[in-house]
Amino acid sequence: MYKQIDERIARLLEKFSEEPKENSVWDEEVAWGPPMSEEDAAAYEKEKGIHLPKEYRRFITTVGASGNQPFYGLTHLAEQDEEECVPEQPFPFTLDHFPFFLYMTEEEMDNFDYHAACAGFLHLCTEGCGMDSILIVNTANPEVHGTVWYFDFANDYGIIPMRDEKTGAPFHFLDWLEYWVDQDKSEESFSFADTAPVPDPPDNPQIMGRLMGWIED
């Protein structure tokens, strides 16, 4: 059942062990916290009425339920901030329809329901300043379940699915980890935002990006 996932995790852990220390944003060696028991993972799923994605569930129950990477570290299930997100409620967006604030009008921004948008996901890690990676765990769309998104409301950015630059395929948990370990992170500008492409802007002169002069035709 987990053979392919276990093999990929093993390759990832080998990459982490070989990563040069100076390649890290924090200049420290990777360290994983103790794994979560299968019983505790199942209890969390039952409590929230969700199914944890297989890759993520396997990792947190066999390798570590937390860690000091990526960025400020993998967030433990017990440390999820439910004031910021309600995983019991379904995630309201799809891979093709999601909120990117620069493409919204002022009216759309004023009417945006932040509370409804913060549902159906877990926080994987934060880069700081409100820039997070999130994992979708509750959605009516099977293509969205288990995907990883870039989340940034603090800087009026939005929620955008992370994708493979070459194939365009959406990231899942192990894709997200592999991207992290494969990149040169010695530059302070490194961010998972680089994996969250946005479509061409709509033909609307009233979107915020044009009004603020950040989008030019």
Side-chain angles (χ1 to χ4, degrees), residues 135-148:
L135 176 69
I136 311 307
V137 296
N138 187 352
T139 171
N141 190 326
E143 293 184 350
V144 177
H145 185 263
T147 56
V148 180

Side-chain angles (χ1 to χ4, degrees), residues 11-55:
R11 292 194 298 270
L12 270 175
L13 294 179
E14 185 175 354
K15 283 187 175 183
F16 271 107
S17 68
E18 296 173 349
E19 185 178 25
K21 188 175 180 181
E22 60 270 16
N23 188 39
S24 170
V25 172
W26 311 122
D27 194 26
E28 62 183 7
E29 295 180 358
V30 64
W32 305 110
M36 174 178 282
S37 69
E38 289 283 352
E39 293 76 14
D40 286 346
Y44 186 90
E45 290 177 315
K46 183 177 180 180
E47 177 189 354
K48 304 301 180 185
I50 63 172
H51 293 288
L52 296 174
K54 287 183 179 180
E55 293 181 359

Side-chain angles (χ1 to χ4, degrees), residues 188-200:
E188 293 184 1
S189 61
F190 176 83
S191 170
F192 278 116
D194 298 337
T195 71
V198 295
D200 292 334

